[in-house]
């Protein structure tokens, strides 16, 4: 029996068989319509999620947009305060004078200037030689001391190495001091300049052509090709040190791993291809380990799984990473144990919450936040204590979360993005909960993501690397700069020190130049990672 849409026949005139046929037809139509509506609803949710992700890629996170608004308001407030001070100064000076007390009355208290900065003392002696009132002799009574922070722009200077020649009056033999070694043979750049070029490029994200423009303003014309030669020569000089750093990283029992794309100019095509920078971080301070943290970067021309397999051929232990399929072969056997990242799980629900304020996503974020609150309490404690706390407090929360995930799946469409986020977590559940059984492990892989932050910032400025060799040089310098930062060292001061010493340093003792071994002779510009 076919019923036209919108027309319902007279049910009193139908027999039982016709009523059953009508009911079956209406049920089939309902099911078809319900499936179509559910499919459209899933598509709408998916499109909203994609739109939110694209908006974040273009405009940043909403919290970042709010931060920019706050910064703009702060700038406006600074302008108003400066204008008010400029207008009030003449009247205030005429009413109170320009004494130190009046200035202190106007301005809020400030923290003292850093004690490690050099001081230049300028003594201002009164011009009066005798008392202006009675002509009596003046005697010391005390002194007022105030400090002012000043900046001296960086400048170039030339070091002239003069080696006198001496000859013997009897046999006419000539003696002369040997020429001092240079970081780059016959190169004009000293270790300080080389360190500055490297840090400007790989730490401060200044491409070489911008550096050349900056140096030209100081009256020093340096071609970009010259700067590129210096970067290449420095990288080659530092290769043995980077290799020692790699071996140190790979002797850890736990590593954080991640990778990021880098555009690379394809030779002969005028176009770019996508290379990869891989990072492997040895970072055990949250577990109370006193051994030095370090990071090693590696470059590859593509994202094939053979690259991490080659990088980690000597590694035995736990690998904390995302769900990249290229790592899967590493987990076969017992040599490397998989440890997943709760930050990746949380990020999926965070995107859903931003896209359409999903109640399930909100609850998932709250439950995951409870796990992170436990980690904040036990950061820096010994591994055994961390494991005990996790087993007592985090394990029940994880079991409850697992049960809630499975219960939520029964209420969701199979094609929804929320279902995909839950299935992602359940598919990695064993690797996600492995951290509860080992106090050395972390809840997430943020250590590796922090290491890649410098690459992401530099990528916005460089546009692309010039070649695969350029990618390998970047990996070497990122390794040394990143390890210096992890140990609280000023990266430029560290590179300047090792470039000064490495040319004459015995290769058999090259490990003496690692950041934590040379820390005593390098200034600390930042606090070491906690």
């Amino acid at each position: 029996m076919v019923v036209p849409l919108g027309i319902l026949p007279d049910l009193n005139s139908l027999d039982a068989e016709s009523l059953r046929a009508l009911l079956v037809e209406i049920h089939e139509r309902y099911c078809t319509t319900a499936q179509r509506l559910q499919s459209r609803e899933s598509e709408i949710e998916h499109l909203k999620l994609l739109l939110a992700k694209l908006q974040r890629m273009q405009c940043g996170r909403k919290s970042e947009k709010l931060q920019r608004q706050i910064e703009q308001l702060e700038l406006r407030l600074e302008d108003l305060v400066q204008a008010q001070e400029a207008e009030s100064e003449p009247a205030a000076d005429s009413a109170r004078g320009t004494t130190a007390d009046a200035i202190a009355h106007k301005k809020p208290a400030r923290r003292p200037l850093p004690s490690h900065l050099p001081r230049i003392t300028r003594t201002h002696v009164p011009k009066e030689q005798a008392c202006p009132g009675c002509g009596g002799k003046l005697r010391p009574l005390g002194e007022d001391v105030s400090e002012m922070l000043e900046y001296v722009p960086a400048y170039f200077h030339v070091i002239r190495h003069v080696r006198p020649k001496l000859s013997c009056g009897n046999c006419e033999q000539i003696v002369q001091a040997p020429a001092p070694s240079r970081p780059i043979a016959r190169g004009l750049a000293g270790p300080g300049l080389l360190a500055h070029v490297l840090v400007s490029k790989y730490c401060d994200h200044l491409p070489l052509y911008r550096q050349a423009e900056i140096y030209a303003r100081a009256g020093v014309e340096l071609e970009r090709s010259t700067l590129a030669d210096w970067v290449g020569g420095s990288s080659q000089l530092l290769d043995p040190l980077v290799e020692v750093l790699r071996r140190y990283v790979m002797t850890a029992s736990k590593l954080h791993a991640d990778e990021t794309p880098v555009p690379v100019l394809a030779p002969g095509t005028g176009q770019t291809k996508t290379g990869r920078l891989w990072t492997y971080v040895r970072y055990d301070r949250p577990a109370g380990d006193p051994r030095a943290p370090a990071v090693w970067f590696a470059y590859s021309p593509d994202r094939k799984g053979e690259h991490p397999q080659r990088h980690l051929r000597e590694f035995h232990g736990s690998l904390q990473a995302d769900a990249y399929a290229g790592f899967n072969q590493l987990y076969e056997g017992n040599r490397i144990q998989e440890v997943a990242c709760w930050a990746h799980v949380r990020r999926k629900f965070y995107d859903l919450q931003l896209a359409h304020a999903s109640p399930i996503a909100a609850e998932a974020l709250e439950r995951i936040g409870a796990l992170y609150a436990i980690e904040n309490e036990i950061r820096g404690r010994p591994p055994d204590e961390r494991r005990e706390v996790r087993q007592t407090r985090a394990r029940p929360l994880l079991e409850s979360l697992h049960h809630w995930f499975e219960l939520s799946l029964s209420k969701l469409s199979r094609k929804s993005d929320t279902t995909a986020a839950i299935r992602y977590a359940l598919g990695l559940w064993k690797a996600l909960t492995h951290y509860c059984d080992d106090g050395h492990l972390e809840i997430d892989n943020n250590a590796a993501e922090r290491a890649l932050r410098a690459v992401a910032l530099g990528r916005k400025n460089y546009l692309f690397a010039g070649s695969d060799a350029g990618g390998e040089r970047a990996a070497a310098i990122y390794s040394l700069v990143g390890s210096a930062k992890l140990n609280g060292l000023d990266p430029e001061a560290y590179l300047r020190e090792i470039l000064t010493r490495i040319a004459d340093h015995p290769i058999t003792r090259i490990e003496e130049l690692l950041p934590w071994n040379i820390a005593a002779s390098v200034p600390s510009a930042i606090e070491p990672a906690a």
Side-chain angles (χ1 to χ4, degrees):
M1 180 179 183
V2 179
V3 180
L5 291 174
I7 301 176
L8 184 66
D10 185 5
L11 299 180
N12 294 325
S13 63
L14 299 178
D15 55 19
E17 187 66 29
S18 298
L19 285 172
R20 281 194 293 270
L22 177 62
L23 182 61
V24 170
E25 181 180 351
I26 292 176
H27 178 70
E28 290 177 351
R29 287 185 179 180
Y30 170 77
C31 291
T32 302
T33 303
Q35 290 177 356
R36 189 182 305 114
L37 290 175
Q38 190 175 33
S39 176
R40 289 178 180 176
E41 183 179 354
S42 299
E43 185 178 3
I44 290 172
E45 289 184 0
H46 182 65
L47 290 174
K48 285 182 177 179
L49 178 62
L50 288 179
L51 180 59
K53 288 182 177 179
L54 290 174
Q55 288 174 339
R56 286 172 54 197
M57 292 172 62
Q58 182 180 17
C59 304
R61 293 180 183 265
K62 292 186 177 179
S63 60
E64 293 173 350
K65 293 173 65 179
L66 178 61
Q67 181 63 31
R68 287 199 295 272
Q69 294 175 2
I70 293 173
E71 291 173 354
Q72 291 173 356
L73 291 175
E74 289 177 342
L75 289 174
R76 176 59 179 161
L77 178 61
E78 289 178 5
D79 291 339
L80 291 174
V81 171
Q82 292 169 5
Q84 183 181 10
E85 293 238 349
E87 293 175 359
S88 63
E89 275 181 2
D93 290 346
S94 61
R96 295 193 305 267
T98 56
T99 63
D101 291 339
I103 296 174
H105 177 75
K106 285 172 39 180
K107 297 185 178 180
R110 297 189 181 97
R111 289 180 294 179
L113 296 177
S115 60
H116 68 274
L117 296 179
R119 260 66 176 175
I120 298 176
T121 301
R122 295 178 180 175
T123 303
H124 303 275
V125 179
K127 62 181 180 180
E128 294 85 353
Q129 301 297 319
C131 175
C134 67
K137 182 180 180 181
L138 298 175
R139 66 177 184 274
L141 179 62
E143 61 184 10
D144 292 328
V145 179
S146 62
E147 292 188 333
M148 179 174 61
L149 187 64
E150 183 58 286
Y151 172 74
V152 178
Y155 65 94
F156 290 89
H157 65 268
V158 178
I159 299 177
R160 300 179 67 241
H161 294 284
V162 179
R163 297 183 296 134
K165 295 181 180 180
L166 304 176
S167 63
C168 176
N170 295 327
C171 64
E172 297 186 353
Q173 182 177 353
I174 298 175
V175 296
Q176 186 180 31
S181 60
R182 303 184 179 214
I184 300 176
R186 296 183 299 277
L188 293 178
L193 178 55
L194 293 176
H196 183 69
V197 171
L198 293 174
V199 169
S200 296
K201 178 175 174 62
Y202 295 107
C203 191
D204 298 331
H205 323 298
L206 280 174
L208 296 181
Y209 77 90
R210 292 186 187 174
Q211 293 190 50
E213 293 173 354
I214 294 172
Y215 301 148
R217 293 202 300 266
V220 179
E221 298 289 341
L222 294 174
E223 297 293 335
R224 183 169 53 176
S225 59
T226 301
L227 297 176
D229 290 341
W230 290 354
V231 171
S234 300
S235 175
Q236 184 178 3
L237 182 66
L238 296 170
D239 276 345
L241 184 59
V242 176
E243 173 59 22
V244 173
L245 180 65
R246 181 197 69 82
R247 292 201 298 265
Y248 173 80
V249 170
M250 291 302 159
T251 58
S253 60
K254 181 262 295 181
L255 286 181
H256 296 270
D258 205 351
E259 50 83 27
T260 190
V262 285
V264 180
L265 189 64
T269 65
Q271 299 178 347
T272 60
K273 61 179 181 178
T274 302
R276 294 280 163 172
L277 272 177
W278 307 78
T279 186
Y280 301 95
V281 183
R282 177 174 180 168
Y283 185 70
D284 298 316
R285 281 182 174 164
D289 194 326
R291 286 175 292 188
V295 56
W296 176 66
F297 284 84
Y299 170 80
S300 67
D302 51 52
R303 203 190 182 207
K304 294 179 181 178
E306 64 190 43
H307 302 300
Q309 294 170 27
R310 184 180 71 256
H311 301 156
L312 298 169
R313 62 187 181 274
E314 302 170 5
F315 174 68
H316 294 74
S318 300
L319 182 68
Q320 193 143 24
D322 59 13
Y324 167 53
F327 289 135
N328 291 343
Q329 192 171 350
L330 294 169
Y331 305 136
E332 298 176 0
N334 297 321
R335 184 172 68 90
I336 297 179
Q337 292 76 43
E338 179 182 11
V339 185
C341 172
W342 272 103
H344 282 78
V345 177
R346 183 190 180 281
R347 196 168 297 137
K348 292 182 180 295
F349 289 105
Y350 178 77
D351 290 338
L352 288 168
Q353 179 67 8
L354 283 183
H356 39 69
S358 165
I360 293 180
E363 184 169 351
L365 290 174
E366 184 177 351
R367 288 173 175 264
I368 296 172
L371 296 173
Y372 271 89
I374 297 173
E375 294 304 305
N376 290 335
E377 293 179 19
I378 62 176
R379 183 173 291 110
R381 298 186 186 179
D384 292 342
E385 185 176 345
R386 282 157 55 97
R387 180 183 180 279
E388 182 179 355
V389 173
R390 288 169 175 172
Q391 290 290 338
T392 305
R393 297 172 55 188
R395 179 67 72 178
L397 296 180
L398 287 167
E399 293 174 354
S400 174
L401 180 58
H402 186 274
H403 175 72
W404 178 75
F405 274 156
E406 292 183 329
L407 185 63
S408 299
L409 281 180
S410 63
K411 304 176 183 178
L412 295 169
S413 167
R414 294 183 178 180
K415 297 181 180 180
S416 73
D417 292 298
T418 306
T419 298
I422 293 177
R423 291 195 180 279
Y424 174 85
L426 293 178
L428 293 171
W429 196 256
K430 182 178 179 181
L432 283 170
T433 57
H434 189 43
Y435 83 99
C436 277
D437 302 320
D438 188 344
H440 294 88
L441 304 179
E442 299 304 315
I443 191 173
D444 57 34
N445 195 36
N446 285 348
E449 295 193 1
R450 287 194 297 269
L452 287 176
R453 192 172 299 160
V455 180
L457 292 173
R459 188 169 52 210
K460 295 179 181 179
N461 290 343
Y462 303 149
L463 299 181
F464 53 82
S467 64
D468 289 334
E472 293 171 357
R473 287 194 294 268
I477 305 304
Y478 278 133
S479 299
L480 295 174
V481 167
S483 296
K485 287 182 176 180
L486 284 176
N487 288 273
L489 302 183
D490 177 355
E492 184 170 339
Y494 171 65
L495 288 179
R496 181 170 58 247
E497 182 71 16
I498 61 176
L499 286 170
T500 301
R501 296 166 54 175
I502 194 169
D504 298 323
H505 198 82
I507 191 66
T508 55
R509 304 204 318 267
I510 193 68
E511 67 278 357
E512 295 176 356
L513 301 183
L514 290 170
W516 49 94
N517 292 332
I518 205 174
S521 56
V522 176
S524 298
I526 56 176
E527 289 295 327

